[in-house]
Amino acid sequence: MIKPHSKSTKSKKEQIQSMFNIIAPTYDTINKYMTLNSDKKWRRKVSKIVYEKNAKNILDVATGTGDIAIEMARDNVKIIAIDNANEMLEIAKEKSKYLKTDRIIDFKLDDAEDLKFEDNMFDAVTVGFGVRNFENLEKGLLEMNRVLKPGGQVVILETAVPQTLLSKIGYFLHTNILIPFLGLIIAKNSNAYKYLSKSAKNFPHGNKFKKILHDTGFEDIEIRSETFGVVNIYSGLKQINN
Ligand SMILES: C[S@@+](CC[C@H](N)C(=O)[O-])C[C@H]1O[C@@H](n2cnc3c(N)ncnc32)[C@H](O)[C@@H]1O
């Protein structure tokens, strides 16, 4: 299992929670530089996929500083957004203050691998760059499946590894040099960003992740590859007979 501190006896969940609480103040700035501002475009795409199915009741899991939830905010749509790192949520709440009053997002402290919601509650569940940080990936996906209505939609934005030689070279330089460097100079925490690069490289992306989604109760799974294959957007539906 890839953890921020491989030798620490603390669980991955504890380490991840404390890491995001520490890097919260600089998370958005580094994200912007690290993705060359492409993150906005990816989040917009997630929102578009969700609204193609006219979702009215949405859960954003591992919301962090809230950008996907904020992107999805619409009149007459109820969005709940959860994360287990309080400092990330505080920033999300501050940013969402500027939304129109009828586009309120309910930010809550909760564990994605043990959600406090009843079964079959949501039309859509989204998660951006969250699942690879779960201690138990399958458990988190099963929880997302449980709280979705039958036929409800999951949309997951997650890192991938590009396949062409040229983009592989660019990816290597980006993840091994630029990202830890930005982490060091902006967040003063190169270890956190080394972990993010390492976890991205080791995440079972593409068809491997598609199979995991299928095995955790999703069907009609589509993979959209974005920006030379550095991220994928996975969408799928909760199996009706699940
Ligand atoms: C890389 S950030 C992504 C934040 C946001 N979704 C985005 O797109 O920028 C990962 C987030 O996942 C959260 N996270 C990781 N494991 C979690 C868990 N078990 N339960 C809730 N949140 C979790 C972290 O606290 C962090 O805010």
Side-chain angles (χ1 to χ4, degrees), residues 20 27 43 62-64 83-85 88 110-113 128-129 133:
F20 279 104
Y27 176 82
R43 291 172 218 284
T63 194
D83 201 282
N84 67 352
M88 296 289 273
D110 198 2
D111 181 359
E113 294 165 64
F129 305 118
N133 295 301

Side-chain angles (χ1 to χ4, degrees), residues 6-210:
S6 54
K7 290 191 181 123
S8 164
T9 52
K10 285 194 176 158
S11 68
K12 175 169 178 179
K13 194 179 290 182
E14 288 170 303
Q15 292 188 31
I16 291 288
Q17 190 181 25
S18 107
M19 184 186 93
F20 279 104
N21 276 328
I22 292 168
I23 65 173
T26 50
Y27 176 82
D28 283 350
T29 311
I30 296 194
N31 234 355
K32 200 167 101 179
Y33 289 126
M34 197 166 83
T35 66
L36 309 173
N37 230 5
S38 301
D39 60 323
K40 274 198 191 142
K41 190 181 77 181
W42 303 331
R43 291 172 218 284
R44 225 172 286 141
K45 216 159 224 180
V46 168
S47 175
K48 188 168 172 273
I49 296 169
V50 165
Y51 283 109
E52 276 164 6
K53 294 231 177 290
N54 206 19
K56 294 279 178 221
N57 196 6
I58 305 171
L59 175 68
D60 184 41
V61 169
T63 194
T65 56
D67 280 345
I68 290 187
I70 291 169
E71 179 62 45
M72 291 191 299
R74 300 274 187 289
D75 294 350
N76 306 316
V77 170
K78 187 170 165 25
I79 300 181
I80 300 180
I82 71 102
D83 201 282
N84 67 352
N86 196 42
E87 298 301 320
M88 296 289 273
L89 282 180
E90 286 305 313
I91 292 170
K93 285 180 198 163
E94 188 59 36
K95 282 157 64 177
S96 71
K97 274 187 188 162
Y98 303 99
L99 287 173
K100 280 170 61 185
T101 47
D102 43 8
R103 296 184 175 188
I104 286 174
I105 302 165
D106 190 3
F107 288 103
K108 288 177 188 292
L109 197 63
D110 198 2
D111 181 359
E113 294 165 64
D114 188 16
L115 291 168
K116 288 192 195 83
F117 305 105
E118 288 172 16
D119 298 357
N120 307 324
M121 267 187 70
F122 296 98
D123 300 318
V125 175
T126 55
V127 48
F129 305 118
V131 295
R132 77 175 193 281
N133 295 301
F134 292 171
E135 170 137 346
N136 184 327
L137 174 63
E138 279 79 4
K139 202 170 169 202
L141 295 174
L142 285 168
E143 274 297 84
M144 285 159 41
N145 188 284
R146 179 183 69 74
V147 300
L148 267 176
K149 293 176 185 167
Q153 190 180 39
V154 69
V155 184
I156 298 174
L157 169 64
E158 194 46 90
T159 54
V161 179
Q163 296 306 311
T164 65
L165 183 63
L166 203 61
S167 43
K168 269 186 180 168
I169 295 169
Y171 180 81
F172 178 85
L173 296 173
H174 190 79
T175 52
N176 289 287
I177 296 169
L178 182 72
I179 294 180
F181 176 69
L182 287 174
L184 180 66
I185 56 162
I186 301 176
K188 312 275 179 272
N189 192 331
S190 69
N191 190 59
Y193 284 88
K194 275 185 189 152
Y195 157 76
L196 289 178
S197 292
K198 215 182 335 157
S199 64
K201 260 181 276 173
N202 285 281
F203 184 71
H205 63 96
N207 283 329
K208 282 190 187 157
F209 189 60
K210 185 175 178 175

